[in-house]
Amino acid sequence: MKNNKQIELIPAKYRSVFGVQLNLEMETRYIGKLDTSGDGTFITNRRPKHLFKKTNSVGINHKLLIDESIPFRWIVIDYDGQKLVTSRLYMLTHGKCFKFGSQGYELQCFLPLPEFGLNRAREFDTRQVIQENLFAEAV
């Protein structure tokens, strides 16, 4: 299943699970897996060497986050043995984008470690839905 030239979903053993492959000009990189069951979850690993120390944050590929044809709501990052959980919407809204082109990295969205948390993401997502519903009723 291809979504665009840069991000490709590779079928895995289970029907709802795909490897997420990033196709760049000079290399192809596996960046995580996508479980499309339920609301969908993007799962990836990060090590302390991946921490952006300036903002105490970890990043996710920006194109993956904004591509609505790739179905997921949740993000789970296994960071040094700790599960960091947030929603796609929370990461897009509260994350900061950086591109480290000289190191060969694409545009990524970074969220500070203290900003992760399932409850925080659920509350934020719920508020967004309520606000959208109020706006739709007012129009």
Side-chain angles (χ1 to χ4, degrees):
M1 170 191 270
K2 283 192 178 187
N3 289 297
N4 64 40
K5 290 182 179 182
Q6 194 174 45
I7 297 173
E8 189 174 353
L9 300 183
I10 311 296
K13 184 177 180 180
Y14 302 100
R15 285 184 6 173
S16 65
V17 178
F18 298 85
V20 181
Q21 181 174 294
L22 180 62
N23 300 314
L24 301 172
E25 283 183 33
M26 303 302 276
E27 70 176 326
T28 297
R29 218 179 318 143
Y30 171 79
I31 60 172
K33 68 180 177 181
L34 177 68
D35 184 344
T36 60
S37 62
D39 288 334
T41 304
F42 174 71
I43 304 157
T44 191
N45 297 310
R46 295 290 184 269
R47 289 187 243 144
K49 73 177 190 175
H50 297 123
L51 182 71
F52 183 29
K53 290 178 180 66
K54 184 176 180 180
T55 59
N56 191 36
S57 59
V58 290
I60 299 289
N61 177 279
H62 185 260
K63 280 200 176 179
L64 175 68
L65 290 171
I66 63 171
D67 189 336
E68 293 179 5
S69 71
I70 301 174
F72 69 97
R73 178 178 178 192
W74 301 106
I75 297 169
V76 176
I77 300 173
D78 185 343
Y79 177 73
D80 201 29
Q82 176 184 2
K83 298 276 188 225
L84 303 175
V85 180
T86 193
S87 71
R88 181 184 205 167
L89 183 60
Y90 191 92
M91 186 139 196
L92 278 169
T93 305
H94 294 283
K96 302 286 185 247
C97 292
F98 298 99
K99 183 174 183 176
F100 302 101
S102 61
Q103 291 95 339
Y105 291 101
E106 71 290 347
L107 183 65
Q108 296 184 38
C109 185
F110 287 81
L111 188 67
L113 297 181
E115 294 273 329
F116 282 89
L118 181 59
N119 289 337
R120 178 185 299 237
R122 280 185 176 154
E123 287 173 17
F124 176 78
D125 285 12
T126 300
R127 280 195 313 272
Q128 294 305 113
V129 169
I130 290 170
Q131 287 175 357
E132 287 173 13
N133 289 342
L134 288 174
F135 180 73
E137 290 173 10
V139 173

